[in-house]
C-alpha cells in the first residue's frame, strides 16, 4: 500500500458501497486464503478499549465473557441504507477442528435480527458453535451450552452483516485481544495462539491495521503497538486509535497529544482519539446516539483536546474515525482491484496446473480403464520393438552392443604364422588386403607389429605336428579332416562367452526400456500396487523370453562345432586367397612373392607381360609359380581353417543377432497381453473390485486433490464476482 492511500475522496457513497459489497462477497467465497484482500483488522491488548470502540462504530453490545471472545474473530460489515436496522449472523467455516482446510462454508446462524438487544446473545451462541465444530450449530442456536469447548482456538469466524440508517459503509475484523498473562483457569499456550492469529491477518500487505492503544497504560508496554510496528515498520497501513483519554493521569496529556500531532510514532493515516461510554453510561442514557453526544461534549470542553488546532480536531471522535476508515478502505479496494484480478487469474492458472499434474482420478469404469492403459502400453511396446527414429530408440541402443559383438567374434580368428617359431621374429605379416573391401583390419588377427607375433599365434611347425599326430590310415598326400575340425572347434568355443555377453547387454537394454514404459503408463496409477504388479508380470515374462534366447544361443554354438557350409564357392575363394597369402609370406625373397607383396601395380605389370606372351593368368595364381614347400601341408590346413572362419563367423554373427532379435526383442511382445490380463486379473469374476482397488489413490494424493479442488472452487466463485463487477 503506497503513501497516497486515503488522501483522496471516493467518487461517491454509492461507488464506495459497491466496492465494500464486492469485498464482502469475495470474502464469502473464502478466497482470502489464496489472495490478499483488503481488510481492516482491529487489534489491541486486552482492556485496551477495543471492544468499546467496535461497539461504538457498529452500535452493538458485544459479549465480554472470558473464553469465546479471545479465541474467535468477528467480522463486522456495516452498510448504510434507508431501511430499518437489521443484523444477519453467519458462521464462516474454513477449517476443521484440527485446523486443516476444508471446503469453505457460510452458514446462516438464525434469522435476521431487528433488535439490537438480541445481538449480544446471538453472537455468544455463534462463537460457541465456532469453537465446537463437531456439534451441529443448530444445537447452540437453541441455547445449548458445553462444559468445555471442543477446541480452544479457531480461525473460523462469525460475521455480522449490519445495515441501517445511522451506519457508515465499513467492514472490519475484530481480532482477539493480545494476552499478556493468563489466570489460574487459563492456558499458557493461548497467549501464543492469539498472537499468531493476529499476525496471520496483519502480515498481509493489504491489511489496514486499526491499532487501539489505551491512554491509561504506558505506551511502550502495549504489545499490540510493537506487533503493528514489526509488520508495518513505516506506518503506511496503520491507523492509530487512542482510547480512554478520560483516564490520562494529570500532567501526562502531552505525550498523547504528540501522537495526535504525529510528532512521535508517525503514521501515514495519523492517530485518532475516541472516548467511549462505560456500561453504566449506556444504561443511564438513551443508547449510542446519546453516547456520541457525550463524546462530543468531552472533546469540546476538556483540555487539552478542546485547545487543539482546527486541523487536528478532525482526528478526534468516533464518527470522524469511522468516516476516515470507510474512505481509506474503499480507496484501498479501488487501488487493489486490478492487482486482485491479476493475482486471482495467476493463482487460478497455477491451481489448474497443479490439479492437472496430479495422477488421474480413479475412473468410473475401472475395468475398461485398466484395459485401455494396458492397450496403450502394448501399443508403445510394439512401436519400440519395430523401431523408432530417435537416438534413444530401443534398436539404436541395442546396435551398439551388436557392433561390439561382431568385432569380438571376428577377433577370435586363428592367428596362423607361416614360419617356424624361432624364425618368426625375422618376418612381419603383411596386411590381408583382399579383406579390405569387407572389413577393417584387426590388430593381431592376420598381422602383427615389428615387435613380434601375438601370444596366441599358431606357428606352422605346430600345425604340421598336429597333422602328423592325427594321421591314421590316410595316404601320405592326405591330411585327416580332424585337424581342421579341432582348430575350428577351438575358435568356436570362444564364441559362447561374447554371445552371452551380447545377450545380457540386450537383456539389460530391453529391461530398462520396459521399465521406463511401465513407469510411464502405470506409475501414476493408484497407490503403486498396479505399477508393482505390472513390473513383476513383465519381469517374469522377460525371464521366460530370456531362457528361450539363451537356449537358442547354446544351440547355435553347438551347430558351429560341426563344420559345414552350403556356400562352397565362397569358401573355396577364401581358401585360395589365404593359400596364396601364406605361401607368399614364406617365399618373400622370390620374385613372384615380392611382386605379390609389393602391391597391385607390380602385379598388374607382370600379368600384362604374361598376356603379351600369350599366357593368361590371374593375380591369385602367381604364388603357384613359387617352388615347392616342405610345409605345404601345414599351409593348406592354415588356409582351409582361416577360410572357413570367414564363412562361419559371419554366419554365426548374423544367426546370433537374428535369434536374439526374434526370441528376445520381438519375442517380448508375444504373449505379453495375455500375461498382463492374467497377472492383473482384469477379466473374470470380481474384476470390477480388483480394478477399482488398483486405481485407489494414496491418501496424500486424495487430500491434495481435495485441497486443490476446493481452492479452485473458491477462485472460480471469486472470478464470477469480479466478472459481475465489470458487467
Amino acid at each position: 500500500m503506497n503513501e497516497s492511500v486515503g488522501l483522496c475522496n471516493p467518487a461517491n457513497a454509492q461507488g464506495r458501497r459497491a466496492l465494500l459489497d464486492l469485498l464482502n462477497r469475495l470474502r464469502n467465497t473464502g478466497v482470502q486464503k489464496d489472495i490478499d484482500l483488503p481488510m481492516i483488522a482491529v487489534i489491541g491488548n486486552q482492556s485496551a478499549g477495543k471492544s468499546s470502540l467496535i461497539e461504538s462504530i457498529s452500535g452493538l453490545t458485544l459479549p465480554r465473557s472470558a473464553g469465546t471472545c479471545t479465541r474467535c474473530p468477528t467480522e463486522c460489515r456495516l452498510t448504510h441504507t434507508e431501511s430499518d436496522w437489521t443484523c444477519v449472523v453467519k458462521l464462516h467455516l474454513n477449517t476443521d477442528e484440527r485446523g486443516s482446510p476444508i471446503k469453505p462454508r457460510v452458514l446462516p446462524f438464525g434469522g435476521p435480527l431487528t433488535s439490537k438487544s438480541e445481538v449480544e446473545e446471538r453472537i455468544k451462541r455463534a462463537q460457541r458453535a465456532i469453537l465446537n465444530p463437531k456439534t451441529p450449530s443448530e444445537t447452540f442456536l437453541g441455547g445449548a451450552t458445553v462444559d468445555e469447548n471442543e477446541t480452544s482456538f479457531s480461525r473460523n469466524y462469525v460475521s455480522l452483516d449490519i445495515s441501517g440508517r445511522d451506519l457508515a459503509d465499513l467492514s472490519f475484523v475484530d481480532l482477539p485481544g493480545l494476552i499478556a498473562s493468563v489466570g489460574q483457569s487459563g492456558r499458557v499456550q493461548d497467549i501464543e495462539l492469539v498472537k499468531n492469529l493476529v499476525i496471520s491477518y496483519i502480515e498481509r500487505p493489504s491489511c489496514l491495521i486499526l491499532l487501539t492503544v489505551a491512554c491509561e497504560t504506558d505506551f511502550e508496554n502495549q504489545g499490540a503497538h510493537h506487533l503493528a510496528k514489526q509488520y508495518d515498520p513505516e506506518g503506511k497501513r496503520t491507523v492509530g486509535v487512542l482510547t480512554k483519554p478520560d483516564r490520562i493521569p494529570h500532567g501526562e496529556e502531552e505525550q498523547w497529544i504528540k501522537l495526535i500531532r504525529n510528532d512521535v510514532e508517525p503514521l501515514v493515516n495519523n492517530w485518532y482519539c475516541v472516548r467511549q461510554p462505560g456500561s453504566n453510561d449506556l444504561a443511564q442514557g438513551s443508547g449510542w446516539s446519546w453516547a456520541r453526544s457525550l463524546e462530543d461534549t468531552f472533546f469540546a470542553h476538556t483540555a487539552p483536546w478542546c485547545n487543539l488546532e482546527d486541523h487536528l480536531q478532525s482526528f478526534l471522535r468516533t464518527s470522524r474515525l469511522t468516516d476516515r476508515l470507510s474512505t481509506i478502505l474503499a480507496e484501498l479496494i479501488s487501488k487493489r482491484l486490478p492487482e486482485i484480478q491479476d493475482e486471482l487469474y495467476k493463482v487460478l492458472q497455477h491451481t489448474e496446473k497443479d490439479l492437472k499434474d496430479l495422477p488421474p482420478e480413479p475412473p468410473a469404469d475401472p475395468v475398461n480403464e485398466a484395459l485401455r492403459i494396458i492397450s496403450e502400453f502394448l501399443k508403445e511396446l510394439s512401436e519400440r520393438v519395430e523401431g523408432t527414429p530417435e537416438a534413444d530408440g530401443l534398436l539404436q541402443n541395442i546396435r551398439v552392443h551388436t557392433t561390439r559383438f561382431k568385432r569380438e567374434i571376428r577377433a577370435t580368428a586363428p592367428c596362423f604364422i607361416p614360419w617356424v617359431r624361432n624364425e618368426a621374429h625375422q618376418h612381419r605379416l603383411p596386411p590381408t588386403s583382399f579383406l579390405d573391401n569387407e572389413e577393417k583390419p584387426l590388430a593381431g588377427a592376420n598381422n602383427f607389429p615389428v615387435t613380434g607375433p601375438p601370444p596366441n599365434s599358431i606357428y606352422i611347425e605346430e600345425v604340421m605336428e598336429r597333422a602328423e599326430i592325427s594321421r591314421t590310415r590316410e595316404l601320405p598326400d592326405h591330411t585327416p579332416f580332424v585337424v581342421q575340425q579341432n582348430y575350428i572347434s577351438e575358435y568356436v568355443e570362444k564364441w559362447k562367452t561374447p554371445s552371452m555377453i551380447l545377450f545380457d547387454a540386450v537383456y539389460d537394454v530391453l529391461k530398462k526400456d520396459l521399465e521406463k514404459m511401465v513407469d510411464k503408463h502405470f506409475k501414476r496409477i493408484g497407490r503403486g500396487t498396479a505399477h508393482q504388479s505390472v513390473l513383476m508380470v513383465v519381469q517374469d515374462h522377460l525371464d521366460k523370453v530370456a531362457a528361450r534366447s539363451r537356449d537358442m544361443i547354446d544351440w547355435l554354438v553347438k551347430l558351429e562345432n560341426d563344420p559345414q557350409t552350403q556356400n562352397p564357392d565362397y569358401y573355396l575363394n577364401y581358401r585360395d586367397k589365404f593359400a596364396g597369402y601364406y605361401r607368399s609370406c614364406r617365399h618373400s625373397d622370390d620374385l613372384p612373392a615380392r611382386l605379390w607383396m609389393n602391391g597391385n601395380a607390380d602385379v598388374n605389370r607382370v600379368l600384362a607381360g604374361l598376356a603379351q606372351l600369350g599366357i593368361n593368368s590371374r593375380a591369385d595364381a602367381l604364388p603357384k609359380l613359387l617352388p615347392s614347400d616342405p610345409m605345404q601341408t601345414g599351409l593348406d590346413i592354415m588356409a582351409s581353417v582361416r577360410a572357413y572362419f570367414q564363412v562361419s563367423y559371419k554366419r554365426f554373427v548374423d544367426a546370433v543377432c537374428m535369434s536374439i532379435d526374434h526370441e528376445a526383442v520381438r519375442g517380448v511382445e508375444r504373449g505379453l497381453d495375455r500375461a498382463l490380463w492374467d497377472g492383473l486379473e482384469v477379466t473374470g469374476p470380481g474384476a470390477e473390485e480388483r480394478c477399482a482397488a488398483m486405481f485407489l489413490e494414496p491418501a496424500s494424493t486424495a487430500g491434495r486433490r481435495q485441497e486443490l479442488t476446493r481452492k479452485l472452487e473458491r477462485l472460480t466463485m471469486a472470478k464470477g464476482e469480479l466478472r459481475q463487477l465489470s458487467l
Side-chain angles (χ1 to χ4, degrees):
M1 188 172 73
N2 60 39
E3 296 186 9
S4 65
V5 171
L7 297 182
C8 59
N9 293 322
N12 51 57
Q14 184 176 358
R16 180 172 61 187
R17 192 171 302 126
L19 289 172
L20 292 172
D21 183 56
L22 171 64
L23 179 65
N24 291 336
R25 295 200 310 272
L26 288 175
R27 288 182 62 81
N28 281 339
T29 68
V31 79
Q32 64 269 24
K33 285 176 164 290
D34 314 301
I35 59 176
D36 185 16
L37 293 180
M39 70 175 71
I40 297 176
V42 187
I43 71 169
N45 286 35
Q46 280 190 337
S47 304
K50 182 170 61 66
S51 296
S52 297
L53 172 64
I54 293 171
E55 289 176 342
S56 181
I57 293 174
S58 63
L60 300 175
T61 300
L62 300 179
R64 304 292 184 92
S65 60
T68 57
C69 293
T70 60
R71 292 173 176 84
C72 178
T74 302
E75 182 173 306
C76 296
R77 305 168 180 177
L78 311 180
T79 305
H80 176 82
T81 64
E82 294 304 322
S83 57
D84 293 338
W85 186 93
T86 306
C87 177
V88 176
V89 181
K90 298 177 183 177
L91 307 180
H92 294 255
L93 308 177
N94 301 310
T95 62
D96 59 19
E97 66 276 5
R98 298 182 301 274
S100 301
I102 61 172
K103 181 179 180 180
R105 290 185 298 156
V106 181
L107 305 178
F109 194 71
L113 300 174
T114 56
S115 173
K116 296 181 180 181
S117 61
E118 298 176 324
V119 175
E120 181 179 3
E121 182 60 30
R122 180 70 61 85
I123 295 175
K124 283 182 182 180
R125 297 180 182 185
Q127 291 174 341
R128 200 174 294 143
I130 289 288
L131 295 177
N132 296 275
K134 292 182 179 179
T135 306
S137 58
E138 295 81 4
T139 303
F140 298 105
L141 185 61
T145 60
V146 293
D147 295 331
E148 184 177 357
N149 292 319
E150 295 170 9
T151 177
S152 63
F153 163 77
S154 178
R155 293 179 182 270
N156 296 327
Y157 61 94
V158 177
S159 71
L160 310 175
D161 291 316
I162 308 170
S163 59
R165 298 184 182 87
D166 56 348
L167 296 173
D169 294 307
L170 188 60
S171 178
F172 56 87
V173 178
D174 175 26
L175 298 177
L178 293 170
I179 307 171
S181 60
V182 295
Q184 292 182 351
S185 60
R187 293 156 49 104
V188 175
Q189 56 265 41
D190 286 348
I191 298 176
E192 198 65 23
L193 289 176
V194 172
K195 179 181 177 181
N196 290 337
L197 172 62
V198 172
I199 290 174
S200 70
Y201 279 81
I202 68 173
E203 67 181 354
R204 298 190 173 199
S206 292
C207 177
L208 186 68
I209 305 170
L210 186 59
L211 171 64
T212 57
V213 176
C215 295
E216 65 177 348
T217 307
D218 183 66
F219 182 79
E220 292 298 328
N221 291 335
Q222 301 195 42
H225 160 250
H226 295 292
L227 204 59
K229 193 169 184 178
Q230 179 181 349
Y231 289 93
D232 181 28
E234 298 181 10
K236 292 183 178 181
R237 54 187 183 90
T238 300
V239 177
V241 183
L242 304 180
T243 64
K244 305 180 182 181
D246 51 327
R247 300 186 186 181
I248 299 175
H250 182 69
E252 296 181 6
E253 294 87 353
E254 185 58 27
Q255 63 173 316
W256 302 103
I257 294 297
K258 288 181 179 180
L259 289 172
I260 297 297
R261 295 182 185 278
N262 231 14
D263 291 338
V264 295
E265 301 293 338
L267 302 174
V268 171
N269 290 295
N270 225 89
W271 286 86
Y272 286 75
C273 186
V274 298
R275 193 264 186 187
Q276 307 303 341
S279 56
N280 291 334
D281 294 331
L282 290 174
Q284 295 174 5
S286 302
W288 288 105
S289 297
W290 181 76
R292 290 286 176 87
S293 66
L294 288 180
E295 184 183 35
D296 287 339
T297 301
F298 173 81
F299 285 115
H301 299 93
T302 305
W305 312 104
C306 61
N307 299 325
L308 291 177
E309 298 89 332
D310 290 345
H311 72 279
L312 295 179
Q313 290 294 326
S314 61
F315 300 126
L316 307 180
R317 298 173 181 77
T318 303
S319 59
R320 290 171 179 169
L321 169 65
T322 303
D323 289 342
R324 182 62 175 152
L325 290 175
S326 180
T327 299
I328 294 172
L329 182 58
E331 289 192 2
L332 179 58
I333 298 170
S334 179
K335 289 178 180 294
R336 275 281 293 153
L337 196 54
E339 298 172 3
I340 290 173
Q341 290 174 325
D342 289 342
E343 290 175 16
L344 178 64
Y345 282 107
K346 287 179 182 178
V347 175
L348 187 61
Q349 290 176 350
H350 188 71
T351 304
E352 289 173 341
K353 180 182 180 301
D354 288 346
L355 200 55
K356 185 178 179 181
D357 289 343
L358 289 176
E361 283 190 88
D365 188 348
V367 173
N368 279 337
E369 182 64 12
L371 292 173
R372 184 191 67 80
I373 295 174
I374 292 173
S375 177
E376 288 184 354
F377 167 74
L378 293 172
K379 179 182 177 182
E380 183 179 1
L381 173 60
S382 180
E383 292 171 353
R384 298 283 291 178
V385 166
E386 188 62 29
T388 54
E390 56 187 348
D392 195 38
L394 175 63
L395 301 187
Q396 287 84 340
N397 289 330
I398 290 175
R399 188 176 301 125
V400 176
H401 301 287
T402 56
T403 302
R404 183 172 63 243
F405 168 69
K406 180 179 179 180
R407 290 198 304 267
E408 291 173 348
I409 296 299
R410 184 183 163 201
T412 64
C415 185
F416 290 114
I417 307 299
W419 303 289
V420 296
R421 184 184 295 271
N422 58 6
E423 295 178 357
H425 67 279
Q426 302 174 9
H427 305 278
R428 180 177 181 273
L429 276 176
T432 50
S433 56
F434 54 87
L435 297 179
D436 288 349
N437 65 329
E438 55 183 283
E439 56 192 31
K440 295 180 180 179
L442 282 176
N446 300 301
N447 60 323
F448 55 86
V450 178
T451 54
N456 61 339
S457 299
I458 305 171
Y459 297 91
I460 192 166
E461 72 268 26
E462 297 172 2
V463 178
M464 293 295 293
E465 182 180 353
R466 184 178 292 194
E468 186 63 31
I469 293 173
S470 302
R471 194 183 305 279
T472 56
R473 293 188 176 88
E474 293 84 1
L475 293 175
D477 60 341
H478 284 78
T479 303
F481 178 65
V482 69
V483 179
Q484 288 94 327
Q485 190 173 31
N486 287 339
Y487 279 121
I488 292 170
S489 295
E490 287 174 6
Y491 71 68
V492 168
E493 186 63 28
K494 299 175 183 177
W495 289 356
K496 183 172 183 179
T497 297
S499 300
M500 289 304 178
I501 291 175
L502 169 64
F503 174 76
D504 290 342
V506 174
Y507 177 88
D508 288 342
V509 170
L510 193 56
K511 180 181 178 183
K512 290 177 182 177
D513 212 71
L514 284 167
E515 287 175 349
K516 286 181 181 179
M517 285 189 286
V518 171
D519 287 350
K520 175 181 175 181
H521 292 274
F522 296 95
K523 195 165 188 177
R524 288 163 57 85
I525 293 177
R527 298 180 176 179
T529 55
H531 175 256
Q532 192 60 37
S533 297
V534 171
L535 277 178
M536 292 175 63
V537 170
V538 170
Q539 184 64 60
D540 288 345
H541 184 71
L542 185 58
D543 287 343
K544 293 176 182 177
V545 167
R548 292 197 301 268
S549 297
R550 291 190 178 96
D551 290 343
M552 178 63 73
I553 292 172
D554 284 337
W555 181 74
L556 290 172
V557 173
K558 291 177 181 177
L559 280 183
E560 293 298 337
N561 276 302
D562 182 17
Q564 56 180 297
T565 179
Q566 299 301 315
N567 295 295
D569 293 339
Y570 191 51
Y571 163 73
L572 293 173
N573 180 268
Y574 273 117
R575 188 197 62 181
D576 290 345
K577 289 180 179 179
F578 275 108
Y581 172 77
Y582 289 132
R583 288 196 68 195
S584 298
C585 291
R586 286 185 54 79
H587 299 279
S588 58
D589 293 335
D590 295 288
L591 178 60
R594 289 202 304 273
L595 290 174
W596 180 267
M597 304 282 289
N598 288 339
N600 291 333
D602 290 341
V603 171
N604 290 336
R605 283 196 294 272
V606 171
L607 293 176
L610 291 174
Q612 290 178 359
L613 296 174
I615 302 174
N616 294 323
S617 184
R618 298 180 309 174
D620 56 6
L622 290 178
K624 297 178 181 179
L625 302 177
L626 296 172
S628 61
D629 191 325
M631 297 287 190
Q632 187 61 46
T633 299
L635 294 175
D636 291 342
I637 294 173
M638 292 163 59
S640 177
V641 172
R642 190 62 183 80
Y644 185 74
F645 177 85
Q646 289 299 118
V647 174
S648 61
Y649 102 86
K650 294 177 181 179
R651 175 180 64 200
F652 182 75
V653 167
D654 280 345
V656 169
C657 293
M658 291 175 66
S659 68
I660 291 176
D661 184 63
H662 181 268
E663 293 295 335
V665 181
R666 292 182 181 274
V668 76
E669 186 181 3
R670 294 190 292 271
L672 184 56
D673 51 354
R674 174 54 61 185
L676 287 171
W677 295 337
D678 293 345
L680 298 178
E681 297 181 289
V682 294
T683 58
E688 186 78 21
E689 292 76 13
R690 290 191 295 272
C691 290
M694 182 191 307
F695 289 101
L696 190 63
E697 60 186 357
S700 58
T701 303
R704 178 65 172 158
R705 187 188 309 282
Q706 189 179 52
E707 175 188 346
L708 289 172
T709 301
R710 289 169 178 169
K711 183 177 181 179
L712 189 62
E713 290 174 353
R714 295 195 300 267
L715 294 167
T716 303
M717 290 172 61
K719 179 182 176 182
E721 296 294 351
L722 288 173
R723 185 176 293 166
Q724 288 297 321
L725 182 68
S726 61
L727 294 179

